[in-house]
Amino acid sequence: MESNLPNSPTYSPTYSSVSGLRDRSLLRVISLSKKYVRGGLWGKRVQVGAVISADFEIPRGQTLALVGESGSGKSTVARCVARIERPDAGQILMQGKDIARLSSRALLPFRNRIQMVFQDAVTSMNPRFSALEAIEEPLQIQRKTSSNRQEHRDLVRGLMIEVGLSPDWMDRPISNFSGGQRQRLALARALALRPLLLVLDEALTGLDVSTQAQIANLLLDLQAAHQLTYLLISHDLALVARLANVIGVMAGGRIVEVGPAEEIISNPMHTATKKLLASAKTTAAKLTAITGARS
């Protein structure tokens, strides 16, 4: 469980507004497909369909959760949307622009609009970095930093307050932070570029229930403050029920069921969805903890 967080005023960075997006999807994925080549028996190489013709869209300011068992293809979708992977087929429309097969150079204007937060915050940041260095690194990569060192520290200070960390800790090595605090650092790092879309790949997995509740509430607060859009990847239906407007269930590389979160939880139709619900033995307890933590 995390220690008590500092009682600091909320810092609200100015996010660039995009006219005309209020009633449109920020992200639309059409017929997305991705295969991997694997080594087979006797040296034969076989193609494995990780994602098969996935379709979904997310209005700005809302959350779509993709859930499924390990190997269902949900993380591959996330990596394609963030363009860590290049899809084999289909479209990824970000603000109406298909980024599915853009070159690295053509992708640069979109990199700051889509940021990814991983399950293991440590592996996504240099463990030798301080909190200050970890948060400001994306700005240096995008060449958005000032030469004024004090301006750097002021920016990081504001972001740490935004995610509920004491700015007095900015010179502390990230290895000295708890698991939940590292996820807050990862969020601050992602927010540094003022994105429109956060791809959260199992970002709450591995944390205790109380810390999950705190991070979930933080995500809701950030979303409300900045009209952020989330693509949330998880295997835990109980967890995503608190965060998602819409849930899509994946199995065998396909989205087999999709609908409003309340309907998916209360009236699952596909066997894969029913199996996920059945395996969540602590569903009611988690929902109560996450909902109650906000009151």
Side-chain angles (χ1 to χ4, degrees):
M1 185 181 300
E2 289 192 86
S3 59
N4 292 331
L5 299 171
N7 294 320
S8 303
T10 300
Y11 168 73
S12 298
T14 303
Y15 279 64
S16 300
S17 61
V18 182
S19 61
L21 278 177
R22 189 174 299 275
D23 300 317
R24 293 171 47 197
S25 294
L26 178 73
L27 178 74
R28 187 180 180 193
V29 172
I30 304 171
S31 301
L32 183 71
S33 297
K34 177 67 179 178
K35 294 180 180 179
Y36 294 106
V37 178
R38 307 294 190 196
L41 294 175
W42 302 289
K44 293 183 179 179
R45 298 173 68 80
V46 295
Q47 284 192 336
V48 178
V51 179
I52 305 169
S53 195
D55 293 90
F56 60 87
E57 57 184 314
I58 319 177
R60 188 173 184 191
Q62 294 195 19
T63 299
L64 170 71
L66 289 181
V67 299
E69 295 183 330
S70 178
S72 62
K74 58 189 185 298
S75 287
T76 300
V77 171
R79 293 174 69 84
C80 286
V81 167
R83 273 305 312 270
I84 296 173
E85 300 272 3
R86 184 190 293 263
D88 297 323
Q91 295 178 291
I92 303 170
L93 301 176
M94 178 65 180
Q95 298 176 256
K97 175 71 174 181
D98 186 7
I99 65 170
R101 279 171 292 279
L102 290 181
S103 66
S104 297
R105 181 180 294 274
L107 267 174
L108 285 177
F110 293 91
R111 289 296 187 192
N112 64 331
R113 304 179 204 178
I114 305 174
Q115 289 293 296
M116 194 162 184
V117 179
F118 298 90
Q119 175 181 348
D120 188 353
V122 176
T123 59
S124 64
M125 297 182 283
N126 189 326
R128 298 182 178 180
F129 277 180
S130 66
L132 169 65
E133 292 169 326
I135 293 171
E136 72 174 351
E137 185 183 28
L139 293 166
Q140 293 176 335
I141 293 172
Q142 290 280 337
R143 297 180 180 178
K144 294 181 180 291
T145 52
S146 165
S147 59
N148 187 322
R149 188 63 178 173
Q150 187 57 48
E151 289 184 11
H152 291 193
R153 296 183 69 86
D154 289 344
L155 174 63
V156 172
R157 174 182 294 272
L159 288 167
M160 291 185 72
I161 293 172
E162 177 81 355
V163 299
L165 292 173
S166 171
D168 295 336
W169 301 341
M170 71 170 65
D171 294 314
R172 180 184 297 183
I174 62 173
S175 58
N176 289 0
F177 288 82
S178 70
Q181 290 167 347
R182 289 171 185 169
Q183 283 302 72
R184 292 175 186 270
L185 281 176
L187 282 169
R189 176 184 168 93
L191 290 174
L193 290 174
R194 299 179 178 177
L196 299 175
L197 173 69
L198 287 187
V199 181
L200 305 161
D201 190 5
E202 299 280 10
L204 302 183
T205 300
L207 304 174
D208 63 67
V209 174
S210 176
T211 303
Q212 283 182 343
Q214 292 178 28
I215 301 298
N217 289 338
L218 173 61
L219 288 169
L220 289 169
D221 289 340
L222 291 171
Q223 187 172 53
H226 307 305
Q227 206 182 356
L228 289 168
T229 304
Y230 296 149
L231 173 59
L232 176 62
I233 307 299
S234 180
H235 64 277
D236 192 337
L237 268 175
L239 182 60
V240 303
R242 173 59 175 154
L243 291 168
N245 302 101
V246 175
I247 294 176
V249 180
M250 292 197 70
R254 300 179 185 274
I255 299 178
V256 296
E257 184 171 4
V258 64
E262 297 85 354
E263 291 184 13
I264 295 294
I265 295 295
S266 62
N267 187 32
M269 302 299 293
H270 197 276
T271 54
T273 312
K274 295 176 181 178
K275 186 176 180 181
L276 285 172
L277 282 171
S279 67
K281 297 179 181 179
T282 58
T283 296
K286 283 189 176 183
L287 285 174
T288 299
I290 293 173
T291 303
R294 201 168 175 76
S295 59

